Amino acid sequence: MLVEQRISPDAIAKMRASIAQAAGDEVVFACRTDDDLIITDVELVASGTADMAPAPAELLQRGRIVVHNHPTGMLRPSRADVHSAAALGDAGVGSYIVNNDVTELVVVCEPVEPKTLEPLDIDRLVSIVDDGGALSEVFADFEPRAAQMEMLRYVAGAFDQASLLAVEAGTGVGKSFAYLIPALAWAATNDERVVISTATINLQQQLIEKDIPAVKKMLGLDVPAVLVKGRGNYLCLKRLGEALDEATLFEEPEEELVAVKEWSRNAIAGSRSDAPFHLSEELWSRVNSDADSCTELSCRLRDNCFFVKARREAASARVLVVNHHLLFIDLSLRIRGIGFDARAILPPFQRLIFDEAHNIENSATSLFSDSFSLFSVRKHTRRLQRERRGRRAGLLPLVRMRGAGAAAVNKAVKAVELTESAARGLDSAVLALSDDLTLRLTPGMETKYRAALLDPIDELHKRIVRLSSALTDLIELDESDEEGGPYHDLRVVTRRIDRLAGLCRSFLEFEDDPDRVFWIEFKRGVNNKRYARFISTPLDIREIMREAVFDAFNTVVFTSATLTVADTFDFWASRIGLLETARDYELVNLPSPFPFSEHALLAVPTDAPEPSTAGYQEFLSRFVGDLLELTEGHALVLFTSYEMLRATYESTRDRLAELGINSLRQGEDDRARLLERFNDDTSSVLFATESFWQGVDAPGEALQIVVVCRLPFRVPTDPVLTARTEMIEAQGGNAFTDLALPEAVMKLRQGFGRLIRRATDRGGVVITDVRVLTKPYGVLFLRSLPETRESFKSARGVLEDIERFLYQ
């Protein structure tokens, strides 16, 4: 095609001048067009070599069309050109190739015309959940809920107006349908993706398996919807093959590995959850899809890749259900360079709903943290070389077999050994420093800690840099044109190692970065062996949220049953930066329609010692035993520490067993199976901490009593909490009232919310921490809970009131 058909004379002249200035090497232009899609203006965004140029996604998306030259004059697109054009096409950006004289042109991908969006028919959507609407045909016991209709109107308005919305929807409002109906209607009407992010797998499964199919039926629309899982959930055929080859090299493959091989032959999705047998964590970590090992487009097994198939399904879907963890990984990649108009983990999207939004600060804090440990170093070095029974495997032995120079390979092998040695030395040095669970790096830290920490980190950093240099020297010996193979894998590993070196350097320079918290977590690994994990965490997520969420997407809806403290959004909204955004937003509070004042009893034994006193554990064990004997089980007992959980469980288990009551304890089984056992055995008691304060849905007989054994203040020694406390105090605030207290109130509300899950549920919440009555701040806890019946009496009086409430 002649360029005059697509490019104006002035733009052609600019392109020729830029190519000449680059001495005929490859360059890349972001181009603007007129209404007829003729390129009228160009911006040089990248320059390269005779056969390649960088393609920064964020810069390329400045224009409607991207144009680059092929200095050879051969205009046939390469695989890299096609891949780049596909990514740009997701953002509606076209892709052209020209020769150096800018006389000939090939269209790789046409630009997509901007769409005219059609507003939702909100009255029609609201009628679906009103009397006589489609929802009444799905549920036999349907009753219209005013709060659900109100929430649906607000959510639909946020889609139409491209705005921000936060809705606290109490239990029973029906929030899932209130956001799904407008979300699916919008996706179908305007052919735009909507991403729904949740904190728990339970809610994801409910949405995909029950709620979304029901909404499709109500709307009469077949909107493609998928559950998007992280890469690590999928089997990697390449890594499976490597594991089998290595096992055959060293010995006969173990039975479990052979079983995975057989399963892989007929697997459809290749998801771990679909395996017909239990997969050990140790084996799965060797065969699952892993970003550090993926060779992407060059992989010879790409056409059969389970993860690629899942990504294709996600690309064709219009409703994507994800978890907060995966979403924030996606967002971190976008703000670090990929941009919001290209594929990251997820395909590009502009409409986002956060359910279980009370978890956002913790999720964002975790996912925007960076970390390394002895094991993450080994993950990379053992990809390069590993030895077993005197035989070697890995990339370095492979390139040696391909004829790479012995000196270069030996240099890399030695660098691997020294890097692993430095990592072991760092781990040992740090473990000898402290018996605590965490250790924070601060400018005022003791000299003995500073030297003992920074010297071995510096040694590891130097070794990693030398390893990267040795690998680079080895890669430069590659004269093949092979797109896959060990040299490609070496390049991937080298990039990962360079990032690891950068993280080590950030620890050495921690005093220069006051916006992050640098700390060490001491954990238990295989065989309960202690090891150190080095973590860099953002001190404040507000700016991250502004860049990654508020300024990035047209519509963002936040919803949860617990976003307020004493009926105000101030704490939650300020922590995530919503109050500071320049965009319009609405905050809506819709209380639960459930009759808490009739169906719930809040009790506090006033003669309980304070939790910090010596007699509290003895009191707690006796009282919990008496209470569970009275209720014949049917209880969830919540703790803030595993030590208190263990002591209470062990002191009551035998007594309850004699009564035929089964005691379940967090940690004795995985979370999903534990909850299933709790729901199936309706008289059982579940002793749990942390994650069980939320996401437990046990309606009916299974749960009639929730015991809160201590107000859920976070451990004051938590390094991130400590750093944030110091920041608040430095800014003139009060860390207790501005952070610790409201955070604990929101968590108590989550624990309280486990009790009444259906309109017919009935039961009691017992708070054994008397500070809720004796301390001035206790009022805030009580004001933030629904209005209930109350029993603030001695332990004996509380038990009598609970017996009357439940059984009379």
Side-chain angles (χ1 to χ4, degrees):
M1 178 186 296
L2 296 176
V3 295
E4 288 82 359
Q5 296 174 258
R6 295 295 184 109
I7 309 176
S8 71
D10 287 346
I12 291 172
K14 287 183 180 179
M15 287 182 173
R16 287 173 177 165
S18 296
I19 293 171
Q21 190 172 0
D25 285 342
E26 192 166 320
V27 295
V28 183
F29 302 96
C31 309
R32 286 168 283 281
T33 69
D34 60 19
D35 293 340
D36 296 321
L37 293 182
I38 301 298
I39 293 174
T40 57
D41 192 20
V42 300
E43 177 187 1
L44 180 67
V45 294
S47 300
T49 64
D51 59 357
M52 68 176 67
E58 192 169 352
L59 292 177
L60 297 185
Q61 290 154 14
R62 289 180 182 178
R64 289 289 311 284
I65 298 171
V66 168
V67 178
H68 73 283
N69 61 314
H70 277 189
T72 62
M74 300 290 291
L75 302 191
R76 183 178 179 182
S78 66
R79 289 184 67 181
D81 291 334
V82 172
H83 178 60
S84 177
L88 290 167
D90 279 341
V93 179
S95 183
Y96 299 172
I97 303 172
V98 297
N99 59 356
N100 273 14
D101 294 331
V102 197
T103 57
E104 297 180 11
L105 176 148
V106 167
V107 176
V108 185
C109 184
E110 294 281 12
V112 178
E113 285 286 349
K115 292 182 296 187
T116 300
L117 299 175
E118 183 179 334
L120 297 173
D121 184 346
I122 297 178
D123 288 339
R124 184 183 72 82
L125 297 180
V126 170
S127 71
I128 291 172
V129 297
D130 202 350
D131 255 331
L135 186 58
S136 65
E137 299 173 8
V138 176
F139 296 100
D141 57 349
F142 168 81
E143 290 183 5
R145 306 175 189 180
Q148 185 179 55
M149 289 186 273
E150 187 177 357
M151 179 174 173
L152 194 155
R153 283 189 181 277
Y154 276 109
V155 174
F159 274 90
D160 280 350
Q161 296 156 25
S163 61
L164 309 177
L165 170 68
V167 182
E168 176 170 293
T171 307
V173 165
K175 62 181 169 67
S176 297
F177 285 146
Y179 65 69
L180 284 175
I181 290 171
L184 268 68
W186 182 271
T189 302
N190 293 295
D191 194 29
E192 282 197 340
R193 290 188 190 92
V194 179
V195 171
I196 301 169
S197 182
T198 80
T200 61
I201 188 65
N202 288 349
L203 181 53
Q204 292 162 45
Q205 291 172 337
Q206 175 189 318
L207 293 175
I208 283 292
E209 297 171 8
K210 297 179 181 179
D211 295 350
I212 289 176
V215 171
K216 287 182 184 181
K217 183 177 179 181
M218 289 181 240
L219 293 171
L221 298 170
D222 187 18
V223 184
V226 297
L227 173 62
V228 183
K229 300 179 181 180
R231 177 192 287 272
N233 288 280
Y234 295 96
L235 177 68
C236 173
L237 296 174
K238 180 172 179 284
R239 294 190 76 204
L240 173 61
E242 291 173 349
L244 287 164
D245 290 345
E246 186 172 322
T248 304
L249 177 66
F250 294 132
E251 57 188 21
E252 283 297 310
E254 62 258 48
E255 186 177 329
E256 189 181 11
L257 185 58
V258 174
V260 174
K261 177 185 175 182
E262 294 303 314
W263 167 56
S264 72
R265 289 174 172 168
N266 299 309
I268 297 173
S271 173
R272 181 181 185 179
S273 61
D274 296 336
F277 50 87
H278 175 68
L279 277 160
S280 69
E281 192 62 42
E282 189 276 331
L283 175 63
W284 186 249
S285 68
R286 288 162 50 201
V287 299
N288 69 337
S289 183
D290 176 74
D292 291 333
S293 305
C294 183
T295 52
E296 301 173 346
L297 288 174
S298 64
C299 180
R300 60 185 175 79
L301 298 173
R302 182 176 175 81
D303 290 344
N304 296 316
C305 175
F306 294 119
F307 178 62
V308 169
K309 289 177 183 177
R311 287 181 66 162
R312 287 174 185 151
E313 286 184 15
S316 63
R318 283 298 169 263
V319 175
L320 310 180
V321 178
V322 304
N323 62 32
H324 294 342
H325 180 95
L326 186 66
L327 175 68
F328 279 112
I329 293 176
D330 178 88
L331 299 183
S332 70
L333 292 173
R334 295 185 184 281
I335 67 174
R336 289 171 179 174
I338 289 179
F340 289 86
D341 294 320
R343 167 184 283 282
I345 301 294
L346 304 173
F349 59 97
Q350 274 298 313
R351 314 284 169 170
L352 175 60
I353 297 172
F354 285 97
D355 201 343
E356 300 177 313
H358 57 277
N359 274 313
I360 284 180
E361 183 180 13
N362 289 339
S363 296
T365 296
S366 173
L367 266 299
F368 284 96
S369 294
D370 298 308
S371 68
F372 74 92
S373 68
L374 169 62
F375 299 107
S376 62
V377 174
R378 280 180 178 168
K379 179 180 178 182
H380 299 304
T381 56
R382 294 189 177 181
R383 177 125 175 85
L384 294 168
Q385 177 168 290
R386 51 202 176 275
E387 188 170 335
R388 190 174 173 188
R389 297 186 179 179
R391 308 186 75 170
R392 291 179 174 178
L395 294 174
L396 294 179
L398 277 177
V399 296
R400 190 191 296 274
M401 290 169 56
R402 298 247 180 148
V409 175
N410 290 339
K411 180 182 176 183
V413 168
K414 185 64 175 177
V416 166
E417 293 170 353
L418 291 173
T419 299
E420 284 201 1
S421 176
R424 288 193 300 270
L426 172 60
D427 194 63
S428 298
V430 173
L431 291 178
L433 280 178
S434 175
D435 293 325
D436 294 334
L437 296 176
T438 60
L439 179 65
R440 179 178 161 217
L441 281 67
T442 63
M445 66 190 303
E446 294 180 37
T447 304
K448 65 173 184 177
Y449 283 145
R450 180 181 291 270
L453 276 172
L454 298 188
D455 287 352
I457 293 176
D458 185 40
E459 177 65 16
L460 177 59
H461 175 251
K462 289 175 182 175
R463 294 300 180 187
I464 293 173
V465 170
R466 289 170 188 166
L467 173 58
S468 175
S469 176
L471 294 176
T472 301
D473 290 345
L474 189 57
I475 290 166
E476 288 176 355
L477 298 177
D478 178 28
E479 297 179 352
S480 71
D481 294 326
E482 186 181 17
E483 292 196 13
Y487 281 104
H488 178 280
D489 292 359
L490 273 182
R491 292 184 182 92
V492 173
V493 174
T494 303
R495 288 197 296 270
R496 311 290 191 212
I497 286 173
D498 287 342
R499 283 201 285 272
L500 188 57
L503 184 53
C504 284
R505 187 173 60 252
S506 72
F507 269 81
L508 294 173
E509 301 169 352
F510 75 93
E511 290 176 286
D512 298 330
D513 192 353
D515 294 330
R516 296 188 74 83
V517 184
F518 293 87
W519 57 292
I520 302 165
E521 180 182 30
F522 298 100
K523 304 193 73 174
R524 298 273 177 189
V526 178
N527 298 325
N528 205 34
K529 188 175 181 181
R530 196 164 173 254
Y531 71 95
R533 179 168 169 250
F534 296 77
I535 308 168
S536 166
T537 297
L539 181 60
D540 188 339
I541 68 157
R542 289 176 295 181
E543 180 60 25
I544 293 172
M545 288 293 292
R546 181 196 63 75
E547 184 181 359
V549 178
F550 303 135
D551 291 354
F553 300 108
N554 290 336
T555 296
V556 185
V557 175
F558 303 93
T559 188
S560 169
T562 52
L563 294 180
T564 65
V565 174
D567 293 328
T568 77
F569 287 86
D570 291 355
F571 171 69
W572 172 83
S574 66
R575 294 300 304 168
I576 67 167
L578 181 58
L579 299 182
E580 299 170 12
T581 180
R583 293 184 60 186
D584 291 337
Y585 62 85
E586 287 189 279
L587 304 173
V588 180
N589 191 349
L590 301 173
S592 170
F594 290 165
F596 284 94
S597 60
E598 299 174 15
H599 286 196
L601 172 71
L602 176 65
V604 181
T606 56
D607 53 351
E610 285 199 7
S612 58
T613 61
Y616 182 69
Q617 183 59 60
E618 182 182 353
F619 168 85
L620 182 66
S621 297
R622 183 176 63 254
F623 176 79
V624 168
D626 292 344
L627 174 63
L628 300 181
E629 180 176 345
L630 170 68
T631 63
E632 299 178 343
H634 309 280
L636 173 65
V637 188
L638 295 173
F639 299 85
T640 59
S641 77
Y642 194 80
E643 193 60 36
M644 186 181 289
L645 182 157
R646 183 194 57 77
T648 309
Y649 170 82
E650 290 181 355
S651 64
T652 57
R653 175 186 51 193
D654 293 344
R655 175 181 176 183
L656 296 176
E658 290 175 2
L659 299 169
I661 300 170
N662 188 21
S663 296
L664 306 174
R665 182 186 62 182
Q666 180 179 348
E668 68 182 30
D669 205 341
D670 74 47
R671 189 179 193 276
R673 284 195 291 268
L674 205 56
L675 286 174
E676 185 177 355
R677 289 166 59 192
F678 179 58
N679 277 298
D680 289 346
D681 183 355
T682 57
S683 66
S684 63
V685 177
L686 175 57
F687 295 79
T689 183
E690 197 53 41
S691 65
F692 287 80
W693 285 72
Q694 59 185 341
V696 175
D697 190 7
E701 284 188 29
L703 185 56
Q704 296 178 7
I705 289 290
V706 174
V707 183
V708 174
C709 296
R710 189 167 189 158
L711 294 176
F713 290 105
R714 264 208 284 174
V715 180
T717 55
D718 177 282
V720 178
L721 177 63
T722 301
R724 288 174 173 171
T725 294
E726 292 170 0
M727 181 182 71
I728 291 171
E729 299 284 356
Q731 294 171 348
N734 183 304
F736 180 74
T737 57
D738 294 347
L739 178 59
L741 177 58
E743 186 177 72
V745 169
M746 287 186 70
K747 189 162 185 177
L748 179 66
R749 293 190 66 206
Q750 279 291 315
F752 183 97
R754 299 314 93 211
L755 180 67
I756 304 294
R757 308 301 298 170
R758 303 290 184 272
T760 55
D761 287 351
R762 181 181 177 87
V765 174
V766 182
I767 302 174
T768 57
D769 189 337
V770 74
R771 292 176 298 171
V772 75
L773 298 180
T774 61
K775 299 294 184 183
Y777 57 73
V779 174
L780 193 65
F781 284 100
L782 299 177
R783 280 175 50 205
S784 298
L785 298 177
E787 184 179 340
T788 65
R789 298 188 186 185
E790 295 177 348
S791 174
F792 301 158
K793 299 179 179 179
S794 67
R796 179 51 49 196
V798 163
L799 293 174
E800 291 171 354
D801 285 350
I802 289 173
E803 183 176 22
R804 278 192 295 271
F805 181 76
L806 290 178
Y807 304 118
Q808 294 181 10

